[in-house]
Amino acid sequence: DGGPIMAPKRMSTVILPAWVESAAPRKNTKTTADPKQALAANILALGDCETPEQQKALVFEMLGPDYLQRLCPTENRILVITYVWPQRRLIRNEAGAVVGHLDLPTQTINANRFEGKTGLIIAIGETAFKYSGQWPWEGRKGKIGDWISYRASDAPERGYTGQDGSTMLWGRVIEDGLVEGFTSDPRSIF
């Protein structure tokens, strides 16, 4: 039209916190016969977890108490479940009060699967983090329940089933020497 472009009225200032915050998890885990639906639902369920500790507990709950009888890596391999960033981010005003939230699109949540750089150790091969030949392993030895960092291209992706066979999770297999480090909080690496 050639008319002037009007600037929108200024709204109250909202600040996305520097530290990722999320709302309480909705616990929408699914058990279904369709593997694609189960994986998608479980990625979203992991994204609903408020903290890494909640996500860790949910992963082990989904895998079930006897999962080590089904998932046994060989030699120096480690099985990890990829960390999923929170799906819901809280928006706070300058005073720190929550004024709303943003739900990330499913595509962003699923990007965790392909680009994830941190994961939860769920199983360790017999020779992982041990003496192997000429030199002994030096440094920290990983254990089940540790969060590790790695290069996604060093760790082929795998799907793992839970206790009933219908609960599925995305993870990776990585050799112990390719683990880049350990972290107490997977949100500190991106």
Side-chain angles (χ1 to χ4, degrees), residues 5 28 68 76 81 91 98 101 108 111 126 132 135 144 158 161 172 176 179-180 183 188:
I5 298 174
N28 62 347
L68 285 173
N76 66 333
I81 298 296
I91 300 172
V98 175
H101 66 270
T108 303
E126 290 184 22
S132 59
W135 296 279
I144 292 175
R158 300 286 185 263
T161 59
R172 295 185 178 273
D176 60 0
V179 171
E180 292 181 345
T183 181
S188 63

Side-chain angles (χ1 to χ4, degrees), residues 11-64:
M11 302 178 90
S12 62
T13 305
V14 294
I15 300 168
L16 284 175
W19 187 251
V20 177
E21 295 186 67
S22 66
R26 291 191 291 271
K27 303 289 184 201
N28 62 347
T29 59
K30 300 287 184 197
T31 54
T32 175
D34 182 358
K36 288 183 181 179
Q37 286 181 354
L39 285 167
N42 290 331
I43 288 172
L44 292 174
L46 293 174
D48 280 344
C49 291
E50 196 172 314
T51 66
E53 290 305 312
Q54 285 180 343
Q55 192 169 124
K56 181 188 295 189
L58 183 58
V59 163
F60 287 116
E61 179 184 320
M62 291 171 151
L63 289 171

Side-chain angles (χ1 to χ4, degrees), residues 64-98:
D66 63 341
Y67 77 94
L68 285 173
Q69 294 173 3
R70 292 177 279 111
L71 302 172
C72 299
T74 60
E75 299 174 351
N76 66 333
R77 292 177 184 87
I78 303 161
L79 306 184
V80 299
I81 298 296
T82 307
Y83 176 70
V84 177
W85 280 81
Q87 173 182 340
R88 180 167 283 181
R89 311 285 168 90
L90 298 182
I91 300 172
R92 297 181 180 272
N93 64 16
E94 292 164 337
V98 175

Side-chain angles (χ1 to χ4, degrees), residues 143-161:
K143 61 186 184 310
I144 292 175
D146 283 348
W147 292 103
I148 61 168
S149 63
Y150 50 85
R151 219 170 55 167
S153 61
D154 288 338
E157 184 179 56
R158 300 286 185 263
Y160 302 114
T161 59

Side-chain angles (χ1 to χ4, degrees), residues 120-184:
L120 177 67
I121 296 177
I122 61 166
I124 299 173
E126 290 184 22
T127 61
F129 303 114
K130 294 184 181 169
Y131 178 80
S132 59
Q134 199 170 6
W135 296 279
W137 181 271
E138 292 183 12
R140 183 172 171 182
K141 292 175 172 52
K143 61 186 184 310
I144 292 175
D146 283 348
W147 292 103
I148 61 168
S149 63
Y150 50 85
R151 219 170 55 167
S153 61
D154 288 338
E157 184 179 56
R158 300 286 185 263
Y160 302 114
T161 59
Q163 60 188 353
D164 60 1
S166 61
T167 303
M168 302 180 79
L169 296 164
W170 283 116
R172 295 185 178 273
V173 177
I174 188 167
E175 293 182 10
D176 60 0
L178 297 174
V179 171
E180 292 181 345
F182 296 87
T183 181
S184 60

